[in-house]
Amino acid sequence: MKMFSIAEFGSLSRHTMDMYSDRDLLLVCPSKSKLRLHRRYSRLGYNVSALSERQLRSMKESGSLFLQHLKNEATILIDSDGMLRSFLNSCELISPMESEIAKCEATLRFVLSCPQSPDLTAWKADFLFCVSRDYLIKRIARTGRGIFELEMIGRACQELFDLRPEEFNPLRELRKAKSDYRSEKSPNSRIRFEIDAWFSVLMRRFAVDFNGVSEFCFVRDAKSFSSYRFNSHYERLRFLEGLYLVACAKGLIHPNHELLMKHIRQPNLYGSSRQFKETRIQKYITDVVDRLSGSSVRPGISLPRRGVFIANVG
């Protein structure tokens, strides 16, 4: 029997929602039903993570902490023969390897190198918040604890890393900026300072090495990323998002704009394999770089700025 399950998780399940919270929903179903159900629940205002049973089992093998998040906090609404609950109960916390921590730190350095121009500040704040939260969850999990709620993460960081309470404030502000970005609101005018402040905290309290990191320019330097080795598929996808924001602001629209945006906004729904997705996203990066560098320029219209809706980055 195929697993068919629907579960709420995150602040919605914890009953701690505020105006900056997402309404997170997990959908586990056969591939043939994924797109239809994703659309249905997205229209109801949910941020949907659509996974297959095969993907869940692969995540278990890799020790994904997202499964611990679900195990500890999910409210299961529909569950065929209790399959999801039984599966989650079988998932034990696996301490992240040092290589996973190092990969997160490499992505943080990549975020620091991204431009902080007015068109990209909100995107960068969103990107930085998501990567930082994942990084802190993994650092805490190294001590054998699965903690996912932001304020609990902050308290654990005070205990484990001598973080002063006020030093956590920039990350709280980045969370608000993420919410504004995804709802297409203008970011707080001080968010640039909060971004810089949080990078300082990461360096001072978590010993993230930012030495030698310099800011690149999407227009001037993007061509080098056509062959760049990204740290993860998530990093590659967020880079495409920022790159395309710059292109759209210049009126350079990709011929397959709608499909490109679907890959950015709904990354779990398009493509039959991980390799296919990575190859497709890399091709889009190359196409947009060509447009920014003057090749195949096609005027278009600028578009609303929306973020990548990914519940799990690890």
Side-chain angles (χ1 to χ4, degrees):
M1 181 178 179
K2 297 285 188 181
M3 185 185 298
F4 181 85
S5 304
I6 299 174
E8 295 175 340
F9 64 96
S11 59
L12 183 60
S13 180
R14 291 190 301 266
H15 305 291
T16 59
M17 286 192 70
D18 60 23
M19 62 186 295
Y20 305 108
S21 299
D22 295 324
R23 298 181 67 214
D24 293 311
L25 189 84
L26 172 70
L27 173 64
V28 184
C29 66
S31 296
K32 63 181 180 181
S33 304
K34 186 185 289 186
L35 184 58
R36 174 177 58 84
L37 292 171
H38 188 284
R39 286 172 175 165
R40 175 194 294 178
Y41 286 101
S42 294
R43 283 195 293 266
L44 294 175
Y46 284 106
N47 176 27
V48 182
S49 296
L51 300 172
S52 67
E53 184 175 353
R54 180 181 58 81
Q55 286 174 307
L56 283 177
R57 297 195 183 283
S58 176
M59 292 166 72
K60 180 180 179 181
E61 290 177 7
S62 65
S64 170
L65 291 173
F66 181 57
L67 297 182
Q68 295 302 309
H69 188 180
L70 296 172
K71 179 179 180 179
N72 296 340
E73 298 186 355
T75 299
I76 298 178
L77 307 176
I78 299 174
D79 195 12
S80 56
D81 281 0
M83 293 177 69
L84 178 61
R85 177 50 64 195
S86 177
F87 170 78
L88 293 175
N89 286 341
S90 72
C91 297
E92 299 298 328
L93 176 64
I94 298 176
S95 178
M97 295 184 294
E98 279 294 339
S99 60
E100 294 180 64
I101 304 297
K103 183 181 287 189
C104 282
E105 293 181 349
T107 299
L108 286 168
R109 286 191 287 273
F110 180 79
V111 179
L112 177 60
S113 73
C114 292
Q116 198 161 294
S117 61
D119 286 338
L120 292 171
T121 298
W123 164 80
K124 186 168 182 175
D126 182 317
F127 192 6
L128 178 57
F129 173 79
C130 292
V131 177
S132 296
R133 179 179 58 186
D134 184 55
Y135 174 66
L136 297 181
I137 287 171
K138 287 178 178 176
R139 287 290 300 264
I140 294 167
R142 291 278 294 176
T143 69
R145 285 180 281 184
I147 297 176
F148 304 93
E149 194 272 329
L150 190 65
E151 294 306 317
M152 293 180 65
I153 289 172
R155 289 192 286 274
C157 288
Q158 291 175 40
E159 174 191 341
L160 296 170
F161 307 109
D162 295 324
L163 188 75
R164 296 197 301 269
E166 65 274 14
E167 289 180 310
F168 203 65
N169 287 335
L171 192 61
R172 294 187 179 97
E173 294 302 315
L174 292 179
R175 173 177 175 261
K176 296 176 184 178
K178 164 181 167 283
S179 175
D180 289 342
Y181 175 58
R182 299 188 182 200
S183 59
E184 301 179 34
K185 297 178 183 176
S186 298
N188 185 308
S189 60
R190 284 191 50 82
I191 198 60
R192 293 171 64 101
F193 300 100
E194 304 295 354
I195 290 172
D196 292 340
W198 181 245
F199 277 123
S200 295
V201 171
L202 288 169
M203 184 168 54
R204 185 169 60 251
R205 295 299 181 189
F206 300 94
V208 181
D209 182 7
F210 293 125
N211 288 324
V213 177
S214 58
E215 188 175 290
F216 67 86
C217 171
F218 271 112
V219 177
R220 185 191 65 232
D221 304 320
K223 204 167 186 62
S224 63
F225 287 93
S226 295
S227 58
Y228 181 75
R229 293 188 63 181
F230 291 94
N231 292 293
S232 65
H233 180 60
Y234 177 77
E235 185 178 290
R236 180 184 290 105
L237 195 62
R238 295 306 304 250
F239 175 79
L240 172 62
E241 180 187 11
L243 182 69
Y244 200 47
L245 283 173
V246 173
C248 288
K250 292 180 174 295
L252 304 175
I253 308 303
H254 194 279
N256 294 324
H257 167 77
E258 293 299 329
L259 187 57
L260 185 157
M261 293 304 296
K262 286 177 178 178
H263 275 84
I264 289 177
R265 294 177 180 173
Q266 301 169 4
N268 289 326
L269 295 183
Y270 296 91
S272 57
S273 70
R274 180 65 167 266
Q275 184 59 47
F276 174 88
K277 291 176 181 178
E278 292 185 357
T279 301
R280 175 61 63 88
I281 295 305
Q282 194 62 47
K283 183 180 184 305
Y284 283 141
I285 289 174
T286 301
D287 288 348
V288 178
V289 165
D290 285 345
R291 280 172 159 67
L292 282 174
S293 61
S295 303
S296 306
V297 172
R298 176 184 176 184
I301 58 173
S302 59
L303 299 160
R305 299 179 300 179
R306 292 189 61 189
V308 178
F309 288 77
I310 301 178
N312 171 45
V313 302

